[in-house]
């Protein structure tokens, strides 16, 4: 807090390759505690003339408690970027806890219940 107001950290806009290179460091810093939040938002470029077609892009943000990253991906590059991001996420999700399930008694399931 600064003078009773909350201080905002500036978001860092990176190129797509730099974003993908920096993302594993975010996952590493939150390996023991914390979380990485990824958000995707469709961005439409506004043009001054209504006749011109609007370019669609995707704003991607990655955030931890201490660091923020973002990049903008063009519509043509979304598939390539998404596959690279998916591979990174699969590699860095090794510390997820498995869901605990209640163990069923096999004997109780094998015996038919009398009416």
């Amino acid at each position: 807090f600064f003078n009773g107001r909350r201080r905002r950290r500036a978001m860092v806009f990176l190129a797509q390759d730099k974003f993908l290179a920096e993302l594993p460091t975010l996952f590493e810093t939150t390996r023991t505690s914390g979380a990485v939040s990824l958000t995707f938002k469709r961005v439409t470029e506004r043009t001054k003339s209504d006749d011109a077609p609007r370019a669609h892009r995707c704003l991607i943000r990655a955030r931890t408690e201490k660091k923020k990253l973002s990049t903008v991906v063009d519509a043509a590059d979304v598939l390539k970027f998404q596959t690279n991001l998916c591979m990174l996420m699969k590699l860095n999700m090794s510390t997820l806890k498995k869901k605990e399930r209640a163990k069923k008694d096999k004997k109780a399931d094998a015996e038919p219940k009398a009416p």
Side-chain angles (χ1 to χ4, degrees):
F1 289 94
F2 180 72
N3 292 339
R5 299 175 114 183
R6 192 178 203 184
R7 251 183 129 170
R8 292 185 137 184
R9 292 182 183 96
M11 186 165 298
V12 180
F13 280 95
L14 299 172
Q16 295 173 23
D17 297 334
K18 293 275 188 180
F19 180 84
L20 291 172
E22 194 71 27
L23 196 58
T25 59
L26 288 182
F27 286 123
E28 251 336 283
T29 57
T30 59
R31 189 163 296 274
T32 56
S33 66
V36 176
S37 173
L38 285 169
T39 58
F40 298 83
K41 182 178 180 181
R42 181 179 170 180
V43 178
T44 304
E45 296 279 327
R46 295 182 184 201
T47 58
K48 292 184 179 181
S49 65
D50 293 332
D51 298 337
R54 296 180 178 181
H56 297 291
R57 296 172 144 194
C58 185
L59 174 66
I60 301 167
R61 297 178 184 145
R63 182 174 172 249
T64 63
E65 289 182 6
K66 297 182 180 180
K67 195 168 186 179
K68 297 178 182 179
L69 302 174
S70 63
T71 188
V72 178
V73 180
D74 292 325
D77 301 332
V78 168
L79 187 61
K80 177 185 160 191
F81 183 83
Q82 193 173 16
T83 54
N84 291 336
L85 181 64
C86 182
M87 288 173 50
L88 272 176
M89 290 176 66
K90 282 181 183 179
L91 290 173
N92 291 292
M93 287 191 185
S94 60
T95 59
L96 291 177
K97 295 179 182 177
K98 289 190 176 186
K99 187 176 180 181
E100 293 181 20
R101 297 182 184 198
K103 294 182 180 180
K104 294 182 180 180
D105 189 14
K106 291 183 180 180
K107 292 180 182 178
D109 289 340
E111 296 175 14
K113 295 182 179 180

